[in-house]
Amino acid sequence: MKEFCDLALLFLPVRMSTEEHKQYGAALWFETMWTMYEVVEMGDRWGSELPNLFATLSYNNPDFMDWSIIYDTVFTRSLRAMGLSIREGKTPIRSPSSPIAKYSLKKLGKGLGFKIQDHLKTFRCHLSYLVELLIEAIDINDVEKANIAIQNLTLIFYMVPILDYSDCIKHHKLTNEEQALCKMSVRLPVLAEMALDKMLDIIQCLSVTAAKDSSSAIGSFKDLATKEGSEEKVLKKAIDRCVAAIFKNADDRVSS
């Protein structure tokens, strides 16, 4: 099965127009690959790259299909994989000093005529909370956890435009849940800035190294004490990709 997944990821066409996908592209293989992802117990041995395949397809061809039918599965798998829970009584308490604190549901719901929390029925409504938890997981003291968090943030930032859609409710007829989502989108640029700050802290920590001795300065010996480790290289690459995703999908407020 691992060999099949490796070959599929290598040869399946992804970067095509939507019309091409419907004729001889993803329309022929998406249902099969998605069923495998849903039914088969995924592990590190095979299938771990399938989410990247789906993310690439959805990013390049957002109009290929109605993606909302798979939202619940995507968010459920993400939450389980990271050991998170959004059930009552298990949502972490946000620090009052957090930049996102001033965008509480109570404040965002002013003028809507209904309580936002009463209309958060699907998993997509919890996107901002998921992103916030991932940002908190970026910790230089746990490189593996930080790397996983940054990789997940990269996927989200590539798939979700980092924009404030709160004004859309003035120009479009939307359901209460859609209005709530538009109001909550004001958090996305703030979260992107928080992620950039966290990753900048990581870069600053990685840039601090011990002073080299005289022999290594001459260049005759390799300074193993200050040599960059494999974990640091992987983490830096993950940060590069995440920053690229933010600058690609964010507005001028974040990227300027």
Side-chain angles (χ1 to χ4, degrees):
M1 188 60 74
K2 184 181 185 304
E3 184 178 356
F4 166 77
C5 279
D6 291 341
L7 290 173
L9 292 169
L10 184 62
F11 292 107
L12 283 179
V14 177
R15 300 180 184 276
M16 302 191 301
S17 67
T18 300
E19 289 302 319
E20 290 174 331
H21 269 302
K22 291 181 178 179
Q23 292 182 34
Y24 41 78
L28 303 177
W29 54 260
F30 179 82
E31 185 176 353
T32 300
M33 300 299 287
W34 182 256
T35 300
M36 290 172 55
Y37 180 69
E38 280 190 308
V39 176
V40 181
E41 185 68 25
M42 310 302 287
D44 292 335
R45 293 186 60 187
W46 71 274
S48 59
E49 293 298 322
L50 285 180
N52 289 332
L53 175 68
F54 303 140
T56 303
L57 177 63
S58 64
Y59 177 78
N60 288 283
N61 302 91
D63 56 343
F64 168 68
M65 59 174 283
D66 179 12
W67 299 96
S68 63
I69 60 177
I70 65 174
Y71 285 168
D72 285 355
T73 301
V74 171
F75 277 92
T76 300
R77 290 294 182 93
S78 299
L79 292 170
R80 287 177 179 173
M82 291 179 283
L84 304 177
S85 175
I86 55 173
R87 289 181 293 177
E88 184 177 358
K90 291 196 174 183
T91 303
I93 299 175
R94 181 186 298 116
S95 170
S97 61
S98 171
I100 209 74
K102 62 180 180 180
Y103 300 106
S104 65
L105 295 183
K106 184 177 180 180
K107 293 179 180 178
L108 293 176
K110 289 182 178 180
L112 285 181
F114 60 87
K115 293 182 178 180
I116 290 181
Q117 54 266 36
D118 294 337
H119 295 274
L120 305 181
K121 304 298 183 182
T122 60
F123 278 104
R124 61 178 178 168
C125 299
H126 302 283
L127 176 64
S128 63
Y129 296 107
L130 178 60
V131 172
E132 192 174 355
L133 289 169
L134 288 171
I135 292 172
E136 289 298 320
I138 301 176
D139 183 3
I140 188 61
N141 296 310
D142 191 336
V143 175
E144 185 176 357
K145 181 179 72 173
N147 188 41
I148 293 174
I150 293 172
Q151 287 180 357
N152 280 279
L153 284 171
T154 302
L155 284 174
I156 293 173
F157 287 144
Y158 263 128
M159 291 188 292
V160 180
I162 310 169
L163 302 171
D164 178 2
Y165 299 99
S166 55
D167 286 339
C168 289
I169 62 177
K170 301 177 183 178
H171 310 289
H172 301 278
K173 186 177 181 180
L174 305 172
T175 64
N176 286 347
E177 183 183 80
E178 290 170 341
Q179 292 183 53
L181 286 171
C182 287
K183 280 291 187 177
M184 293 174 67
S185 69
V186 71
R187 297 173 171 178
L188 293 177
V190 180
L191 289 168
E193 291 179 353
M194 290 171 60
L196 287 173
D197 289 340
K198 270 297 192 79
M199 289 185 288
L200 180 60
D201 290 340
I202 293 283
I203 294 173
Q204 290 175 335
C205 290
L206 293 177
S207 66
V208 178
T209 58
K212 296 184 178 182
D213 57 26
S214 58
S215 61
S216 62
I218 296 174
S220 57
F221 297 95
K222 197 167 188 179
D223 187 6
L224 296 177
T226 58
K227 183 181 178 182
E228 187 176 63
S230 58
E231 286 186 339
E232 291 182 4
K233 291 180 181 179
V234 172
L235 186 57
K236 285 183 177 180
K237 185 177 292 186
I239 290 175
D240 287 343
R241 291 173 178 172
C242 191
V243 171
I246 292 175
F247 276 70
K248 186 177 182 65
N249 273 350
D251 58 10
D252 294 337
R253 169 187 169 183
V254 178
S255 58
S256 60

